[in-house]
Amino acid sequence: REIELLYRGTTLTMAEVAEATAAALGNLSLDAASGDDAKKAALSVLNDRITALEKASWHIPPTLEPGLSLTPDALSQMSRARCAVIASNCTSAVWKFVPPEYYTYDLERRRQTLGATSTYQLCKSMLMENIKCENTDCSDGTNSRYYLVVVQYEAEINGKKLSSEIRALRPPGKDRLDPRQFEFRLASSDDNDRLTGYVHNSVTPFGLRDGKVPIVLAADVAKVRPAFMWMGGGHVDLKLGMAVEEFVKGTDAIVADVSDPRSGAFED
């Protein structure tokens, strides 16, 4: 049971886990009479072995690995994102590690680093909170307290447009909410960490800790050609690219007009 918990959430195959288990336990003499200390030592060796295998599975460029913070928690977040992408059958997915100084680059240099065709393919995921919502959770997609909005770096979220589009998810009539029940703002960092399970600049729409958070894709992203997009990959130095069509299907995203061209300097 303890061994199962160690590899749960990783992207290792059963064969790789079996090999790691055999290698780790083969170095220690364990039997039914073994004490707790011996068992803990075996599990520690196994954990180190699986962590090493998990790192190797990402094929991190040797020039970038020294600058990456790949703690067990970070690897767990990355694996959660990758497992979600695989489960969503997003076969066009591409993972790419970027230098630690990536966020000091302007958008053109970021485009070059990722090999993107256009800066309009570069996106970020922002957790937005409707502070006028009477609900406290995300159980109702038409009236959720929070929405994760994916928007281009070349654009900015328009709160009024977002309110209008979410309100329009309900048909006209008595069930449609009053406009006064909407006022969106950027969610707090605590709420972001709690609901997404990812920290600033690493948020990805895949593998959210709260899987009920609705995903909203800015309509302008779907207009970019080639129809490919880049976003966070679950680690500040890991980016995820995929076809827009697969993203929409894989996340069940609401495609809506919620952004305007950015007028000033872009945000991280």
Side-chain angles (χ1 to χ4, degrees):
R1 173 63 177 170
E2 290 165 322
I3 289 173
E4 177 189 356
L5 290 174
L6 279 175
Y7 71 77
R8 179 181 292 171
T10 72
T11 54
L12 303 177
T13 65
M14 287 298 294
E16 289 172 323
V17 171
E19 179 185 356
T21 303
L25 300 184
N27 293 328
L28 295 160
S29 298
L30 291 179
D31 54 34
S34 297
D36 289 341
D37 289 344
K39 292 177 181 178
K40 288 179 181 178
L43 288 171
S44 177
V45 172
L46 177 58
N47 187 48
D48 291 343
R49 181 89 172 180
I50 289 178
T51 297
L53 281 169
E54 183 67 7
K55 285 183 180 179
S57 75
W58 284 100
H59 305 293
I60 303 168
T63 55
L64 295 181
E65 186 166 0
L68 294 177
S69 176
L70 295 177
T71 64
D73 284 346
L75 284 168
S76 176
Q77 292 176 6
M78 292 159 57
S79 295
R80 189 172 77 244
R82 185 161 65 174
C83 286
V85 169
I86 293 171
S88 299
N89 198 32
C90 296
T91 57
S92 64
V94 177
W95 302 89
K96 186 158 188 175
F97 285 92
V98 296
E101 61 272 18
Y102 176 83
Y103 282 104
T104 67
Y105 298 167
D106 61 20
L107 289 182
E108 174 56 24
R109 189 170 180 187
R110 293 185 195 184
R111 180 198 69 77
Q112 295 174 6
T113 300
L114 292 173
T117 304
S118 165
T119 57
Y120 289 91
Q121 293 177 322
L122 311 185
C123 301
K124 57 184 174 181
S125 303
M126 303 178 68
L127 186 68
M128 303 297 293
E129 178 184 8
N130 179 10
I131 62 174
K132 295 293 182 67
C133 182
E134 295 180 354
N135 297 329
T136 59
D137 58 19
C138 304
S139 57
D140 181 356
T142 67
N143 188 26
S144 174
R145 180 83 184 188
Y146 301 91
Y147 292 85
L148 189 71
V149 181
V150 182
V151 63
Q152 297 158 313
Y153 273 97
E154 292 279 15
E156 55 191 0
I157 296 172
N158 182 314
K160 291 183 178 180
K161 284 186 175 182
L162 178 58
S163 297
S164 177
E165 292 282 0
I166 298 303
R167 180 172 179 263
L169 293 176
R170 293 188 176 187
K174 61 182 180 64
D175 290 333
R176 178 167 285 188
L177 299 172
D178 189 281
R180 291 172 294 182
Q181 292 178 267
F182 294 92
E183 184 179 342
F184 281 97
R185 70 177 182 186
L186 187 65
S188 69
S189 58
D190 287 344
D191 284 336
N192 176 81
D193 296 351
R194 174 175 61 87
L195 294 170
T196 71
Y198 302 110
V199 298
H200 181 60
N201 283 338
S202 71
V203 179
T204 181
F206 292 90
L208 297 180
R209 182 171 289 161
D210 185 337
K212 293 182 179 180
V213 176
I215 310 296
V216 177
L217 178 68
D220 285 342
V221 178
K223 298 176 183 177
V224 174
R225 294 294 181 272
F228 197 87
M229 58 190 291
W230 286 92
M231 70 207 87
H235 185 285
V236 66
D237 298 322
L238 179 63
K239 305 305 168 191
L240 168 63
M242 69 173 56
V244 175
E245 182 179 5
E246 284 196 345
F247 173 85
V248 174
K249 290 180 179 179
T251 62
D252 196 23
I254 302 164
V255 181
D257 179 15
V258 298
S259 65
D260 293 323
R262 183 170 294 282
S263 57
F266 66 89
E267 302 171 355
D268 288 344

